[in-house]
Amino acid sequence: MKALLLKDFFSMKSQIKWIFFIVLIVIGMSFYFEDAMILLAITLIFGTIQITSIFTFDEMSGWDKFANTLPFRKSEIVKSKYILSLLLTVGILLLVCPFVVYSNYVTDSFKINELFSIICLVVSLSIILLSFIIPTFIKFGTQKARIVLFILVFSLSYGLKFVLDIIALPTLPSVETLQRMSYVSPIFALIILTISYLLSVKLYETKEF
Amino acid sequence: MTYAIEVSNLRKKFNQFQLNDISFSLPTGTIMGFVGENGAGKTTTIKCILSLLKKDAGTIKIFGSNIKDDNLTIKEQIGVVFDDIHFPETLTAQQINKFLQETYVNWDTSYYFDLLKQLKVTINKPIKELSRGMKMKLSIIIALAHHPKLLILDEPTSGLDPIVRDEILDLFLEFMQDEKHSILFSSHITSDLEKIADYITFIHEGEILFSENKDVLLYELGIWKGSKEQSLELPTNAKIRSRESAYGVEILVKRNEVSSAFQLDQPTIEEIMLFFVKGVRV
């Protein structure tokens, strides 16, 4: 596992300075627009989708063909992609959190509990996005996966809106209820991530190289 | 006799191509040249051996075990070289060492760097900046530096100049100094195989046409050249394949079935291949 993470880290090395550069620009933007949430949402989602670059590097070099001749289990190869993505998400979160808190302190946009619930929601969104990205890229490859992912996200968003319209909730849940739901959202996201991992392993095991 | 690889009745079907009952065995301590024209099924067979493709039928054993039974242990003992280096192009030989140190139990860093130095492969340049020859040398060094018992090589010398090919063949011969080591070497550069192979397995349109000791092929077969009328004097049971040429007819024959009165040329592997692909059964 460490080996696979090292290889992905080396592949990304040339990109890391660009990631930092973009994070710095977004930090600047968040102060300029006095909106800490821009910083949090953009950088986290940006970090999450970095895994697509790794898939692209791997596909361009025919990495999987070679990796499957090395003493790794297929599940290990898949797991390394999830761990790398989670490390990127957590790393970027740790990097931008002090700026988010400081920016929020300066702009006085949210109370601390509101801020925490927003962080929980954005992290959950990143994890759910990741749960869709990895199996889609494994199944379809980098070219088709982007289109499939777009269709998937588009249909899910409109599907959800359609269902909500049908249910037609008489009243929206209270702010307190929504806040409590946001605190547990990362657990929900991690359950989706686990299902996604199991699906990805199955898809990878059926692949031929 | 023990075998490094045993393939029997391997089948794999695609839309427009199939491997049909592929069977051959690579004895331990030998080099087998796996030859055939482009699209004959060499890479497909190798991919099945490495479980990169799922076989439809047949059995494949490596070191006497089915590769699926003991996957990781077997993979620790195999070095694989494809016709290109399949590492992301931004990696350097130095970084590859760090990766492989964590990959193989027996990874030998000092041997890896010794080989890089011996073959003059640049350590700190990204792969994308290396020449094709350098990339292939690096690929072969990677396959050797964990001291495998078996090398599986799929066209490792294609597109390389004779100097680099010679250096690479020397490495393989050095590897074969240990009698427990074996090599399956797929190539259509038959002159390379003539230099180092002990056995030649010839695949054509997804079928094995022969799998034979190289010396048997080269010294027990001969090429007779003459006119059609003259060829009638050759014993029928000696004739294997014949080809028509601008000057008459060429016939691949079994030397021991032909009287010494007939003048025979020693065939090359390439000529034998051509007889089997272009020639007709006599």
Side-chain angles (χ1 to χ4, degrees):
Chain A
M1 176 63 68
K2 191 180 164 190
L4 291 163
L5 290 173
L6 259 179
K7 172 247 147 201
D8 286 341
F9 172 73
F10 290 142
S11 317
M12 282 188 69
K13 217 172 169 184
S14 58
Q15 286 212 309
I16 284 176
K17 59 182 176 193
W18 289 106
I19 296 177
F20 273 104
F21 180 65
I22 288 168
V23 169
L24 278 177
I25 288 179
V26 182
I27 287 173
M29 277 170 61
S30 76
F31 279 98
Y32 182 76
F33 291 112
E34 296 187 346
D35 188 349
M37 289 314 114
I38 288 183
L39 174 61
L40 188 66
I42 294 182
T43 52
L44 263 185
I45 289 169
F46 176 69
T48 305
I49 60 170
Q50 286 311 303
I51 194 67
T52 60
S53 307
I54 293 290
F55 276 107
T56 307
F57 293 146
D58 285 356
E59 195 173 282
M60 279 167 63
S61 60
W63 164 252
D64 284 288
K65 178 175 155 187
F66 183 66
N68 278 275
T69 69
L70 299 174
F72 296 122
R73 291 185 200 288
K74 287 182 191 289
S75 58
E76 219 177 329
I77 296 173
V78 173
K79 200 187 287 171
S80 73
K81 300 291 183 235
Y82 280 84
I83 290 181
L84 178 77
S85 302
L86 286 176
L87 285 176
L88 277 169
T89 307
V90 172
I92 287 184
L93 185 67
L94 291 176
L95 183 73
V96 299
C97 248
F99 294 101
V100 171
V101 173
Y102 180 69
S103 167
N104 189 59
Y105 171 74
V106 172
T107 56
D108 198 22
S109 310
F110 299 100
K111 290 177 191 156
I112 197 75
N113 60 338
E114 288 171 344
L115 186 67
F116 182 65
S117 75
I118 291 169
I119 291 175
C120 284
L121 280 174
V122 176
V123 168
S124 304
L125 184 67
S126 285
I127 294 174
I128 291 170
L129 186 62
L130 185 65
S131 307
F132 283 103
I133 288 174
I134 297 181
T136 312
F137 272 69
I138 288 176
K139 172 74 183 164
F140 297 102
T142 57
Q143 296 297 317
K144 278 189 196 164
R146 289 188 174 96
I147 300 162
V148 172
L149 209 59
F150 174 76
I151 295 169
L152 208 63
V153 171
F154 185 80
S155 345
L156 278 175
S157 316
Y158 274 85
L160 191 66
K161 186 183 178 299
F162 183 70
V163 170
L164 286 176
D165 284 348
I166 289 177
I167 296 170
L169 290 172
T171 51
L172 279 172
S174 66
V175 174
E176 288 75 22
T177 311
L178 285 174
Q179 234 170 35
R180 272 197 295 272
M181 281 167 75
S182 70
Y183 295 153
V184 294
S185 64
I187 297 170
F188 175 69
L190 285 173
I191 293 170
I192 293 180
L193 189 75
T194 310
I195 295 167
S196 159
Y197 165 69
L198 295 173
L199 175 68
S200 295
V201 171
K202 281 275 170 230
L203 291 172
Y204 198 75
E205 279 173 349
T206 55
K207 265 189 113 167
E208 294 191 317
F209 303 96
Chain B
M1 187 187 276
T2 59
Y3 295 97
I5 301 176
E6 292 162 88
V7 179
S8 64
N9 303 315
L10 169 66
R11 284 188 194 178
K12 174 73 185 172
K13 195 172 182 180
F14 297 100
N15 283 342
Q16 294 180 342
F17 173 76
Q18 64 176 18
L19 290 182
N20 210 355
D21 284 329
I22 299 289
S23 298
F24 65 89
S25 300
L26 167 64
T28 305
T30 65
I31 300 178
M32 177 178 280
F34 193 39
V35 295
E37 72 270 34
N38 290 332
K42 301 188 294 289
T43 300
T44 306
T45 306
I46 285 179
K47 282 184 174 182
C48 287
I49 292 171
L50 293 167
S51 297
L52 296 173
L53 291 176
K54 294 176 200 312
K55 60 185 180 345
D56 295 334
T59 55
I60 299 170
K61 287 181 178 176
I62 296 186
F63 308 126
S65 312
N66 191 318
I67 192 160
K68 282 203 169 165
D69 298 336
D70 197 12
N71 228 337
L72 301 191
T73 318
I74 290 174
K75 284 181 175 178
E76 281 280 353
Q77 299 173 62
I78 302 177
V80 180
V81 180
F82 294 109
D83 58 351
D84 201 356
I85 187 163
H86 290 299
F87 271 96
E89 290 206 315
T90 51
L91 266 68
T92 63
Q94 185 91 45
Q95 290 170 332
I96 288 172
N97 174 60
K98 286 182 184 154
F99 163 73
L100 291 168
Q101 260 179 337
E102 300 294 334
T103 302
Y104 286 110
V105 176
N106 292 327
W107 182 254
D108 188 340
T109 297
S110 60
Y111 183 48
Y112 174 76
F113 283 108
D114 285 348
L115 288 175
L116 289 174
K117 198 175 168 187
Q118 183 189 326
L119 295 178
K120 301 183 184 78
V121 178
T122 321
I123 293 171
N124 290 316
K125 268 190 183 175
I127 290 171
K128 64 182 169 194
E129 289 177 23
L130 300 181
S131 66
R132 169 147 179 83
M134 286 269 194
K135 282 183 193 174
M136 288 318 293
K137 283 196 239 179
L138 177 58
S139 209
I140 289 159
I141 293 167
I142 288 166
L144 287 169
H146 63 286
H147 301 293
K149 286 184 185 165
L150 169 65
L151 284 181
I152 297 180
L153 316 168
D154 189 10
E155 308 274 4
T157 53
S158 68
L160 300 180
D161 66 62
I163 312 291
V164 175
R165 271 175 30 219
D166 200 55
E167 284 177 330
I168 287 173
L169 295 183
D170 282 344
L171 267 185
F172 295 151
L173 289 173
E174 199 181 309
F175 171 78
M176 289 306 292
Q177 295 304 306
D178 187 327
E179 60 186 18
K180 289 178 194 150
H181 290 177
S182 321
I183 300 180
L184 176 67
F185 188 153
S186 140
S187 180
H188 49 237
I189 306 173
T190 50
S191 58
D192 287 349
L193 300 176
E194 262 163 49
K195 280 184 198 162
I196 66 166
D198 302 297
Y199 290 87
I200 299 291
T201 295
F202 180 40
I203 185 168
H204 175 60
E205 292 178 351
E207 287 184 26
I208 298 291
L209 292 191
F210 59 79
S211 185
E212 191 58 88
N213 187 301
K214 182 186 76 182
D215 292 338
V216 170
L217 286 172
L218 298 184
Y219 299 106
E220 293 190 7
L221 298 180
I223 299 174
W224 177 88
K225 292 173 185 171
S227 66
K228 269 190 180 175
E229 293 73 30
Q230 287 169 329
S231 74
L232 297 173
E233 293 168 24
L234 283 166
T236 316
N237 57 341
K239 299 175 186 171
I240 301 171
R241 289 279 204 282
S242 81
R243 289 174 66 197
E244 287 194 17
S245 70
Y247 308 103
V249 66
E250 293 180 0
I251 301 178
L252 186 68
V253 296
K254 294 174 197 163
R255 273 182 187 275
N256 58 357
E257 305 276 350
V258 176
S259 149
S260 54
F262 292 98
Q263 197 190 333
L264 299 177
D265 295 338
Q266 192 184 320
T268 61
I269 291 172
E270 189 171 314
E271 283 170 325
I272 296 172
M273 268 176 68
L274 286 171
F275 269 107
F276 275 88
V277 177
K278 303 260 183 186
V280 289
R281 232 178 255 273
V282 187

